[in-house]
Amino acid sequence: MNESQAIEALAALSHETRLRIVRHLVTRAEAGDSAGAIGEVVDAAPSKITFHVSALERAGLVSSERVSRQIVYRINFEQMGRVLNYVLTDCCANNATVMTCCGIKS
Amino acid sequence: MNESQAIEALAALSHETRLRIVRHLVTRAEAGDSAGAIGEVVDAAPSKITFHVSALERAGLVSSERVSRQIVYRINFEQMGRVLNYVLTDCCANNATVMTCCGIKS
DNA sequence: ATGATATTACAAGTATTGTTGAAATATGAA
DNA sequence: TTCATATTTCAACAATACTTGTAATATCAT
């Protein structure tokens, strides 16, 4: 993960609706969820879901797969971890205080 | 840390100049650095530094202290850790894959 | 007080991002 | 093919964020 990828991911995460989408998709894990179902959970119109979920997908935080009439979105756990690792390592130089406050032991 | 604080912090981190400022202040640690010195390192005009460093300060990621004619800025390591912890815990439910990709053992 | 230095505040303009509703596309069922 | 459902695309608009240069403020030294 390079700087511009990290910036895109951080920007994608810095929005209430998108954070709600992420949280919901995390609970769905491998099952994922359709745009329509996501829209009901986060209470947003279809075009809004497309807009925000596209931002998450561009950032690599979410993947999509068409399943018949629906498009199923899934969270990309690896990418979420990479973003956190980028901030921790490339920005904070694995600072001990940051790691402790982040809840990391070693 | 609540959701809106996390969103503000993530937004603050999702900008090239601000990320450069953070990286620089991390290397300076407790010593911190003045606005002018930061401006030279990240190659930005004074008003630009004020604008971006203010965003970081509003997000609690940086603190400031006047020392004679200069204002010294310091990174807030605790807050950096809290943001990462928020994403890891409140958004990713401490998912094992996320933790592994983030470089966390336990 | 005056002048020099460091920083911030402001205003104007530009750019980017987000919202909304309507039209277009894709898929499956009758 | 025709209809219904699911999603995307688009255009117009609103709201934020960023940049730039200039003026204002704060501090220190003379």
Side-chain angles (χ1 to χ4, degrees), chain B residues 15-89:
Chain B
H15 189 280
E16 191 182 353
T17 301
R18 290 192 295 261
L19 218 44
R20 272 197 245 157
I21 293 173
V22 164
R23 251 190 289 258
H24 173 61
L25 290 182
V26 162
T27 71
R28 303 280 306 176
E30 295 314 309
D33 212 355
S34 66
I38 295 171
E40 287 189 7
V41 172
V42 308
D43 192 34
S47 62
K48 213 170 172 179
I49 294 298
T50 297
F51 177 80
H52 289 301
V53 103
S54 296
L56 290 167
E57 197 172 10
R58 268 196 309 278
L61 295 168
V62 155
S63 66
S64 65
E65 180 197 5
R66 169 142 247 157
V67 177
S68 128
R69 243 177 301 190
Q70 318 193 322
I71 295 186
V72 171
Y73 293 97
R74 290 187 190 83
I75 193 78
N76 183 339
F77 291 111
E78 286 84 1
Q79 186 78 343
M80 289 293 310
R82 278 183 219 117
V83 180
L84 296 178
N85 182 253
Y86 183 89
V87 176
L88 181 61
T89 302

Side-chain angles (χ1 to χ4, degrees), chain A residues 10-30:
Chain A
L10 290 166
L13 292 173
S14 62
H15 189 280
E16 191 182 353
T17 301
R18 292 193 295 263
L19 218 45
R20 273 196 243 157
I21 293 173
V22 165
R23 249 190 290 259
H24 173 61
L25 290 182
V26 163
T27 70
R28 304 279 308 176
E30 294 315 309

Side-chain angles (χ1 to χ4, degrees), chain A residues 3 6-8 10-16 19-20 22-23 26 76-93 95 97-99 101-106, chain B residues 3 6-8 10-16 19-20 22-23 26 76-93 95 97-99 101-106:
Chain A
E3 181 176 70
I7 287 172
E8 192 167 22
L10 290 166
L13 292 173
S14 62
H15 189 280
E16 191 182 353
L19 218 45
R20 273 196 243 157
V22 165
R23 249 190 290 259
V26 163
N76 184 339
F77 291 111
E78 287 83 3
Q79 186 78 344
M80 288 294 309
R82 278 184 218 115
V83 180
L84 295 178
N85 183 252
Y86 182 89
V87 176
L88 180 61
T89 302
D90 293 66
C91 298
C92 295
N95 176 274
T97 305
V98 176
M99 290 175 75
C101 291
C102 178
I104 302 174
K105 308 255 166 101
S106 66
Chain B
E3 182 176 69
I7 287 172
E8 191 167 24
L10 290 166
L13 292 174
S14 61
H15 189 280
E16 191 182 353
L19 218 44
R20 272 197 245 157
V22 164
R23 251 190 289 258
V26 162
N76 183 339
F77 291 111
E78 286 84 1
Q79 186 78 343
M80 289 293 310
R82 278 183 219 117
V83 180
L84 296 178
N85 182 253
Y86 183 89
V87 176
L88 181 61
T89 302
D90 293 67
C91 298
C92 295
N95 175 274
T97 306
V98 176
M99 288 175 77
C101 291
C102 178
I104 302 176
K105 309 253 164 101
S106 66

Side-chain angles (χ1 to χ4, degrees), chain A residues 14 20 27 50 55 62 64-66 68 70 79 96:
Chain A
S14 62
R20 273 196 243 157
T27 70
T50 298
V62 155
S64 65
E65 179 198 6
R66 182 170 275 275
S68 126
Q70 317 192 324
Q79 186 78 344

Side-chain angles (χ1 to χ4, degrees), chain A residues 30-45:
Chain A
E30 294 315 309
D33 212 355
S34 67
I38 295 170
E40 288 188 7
V41 172
V42 310
D43 191 35

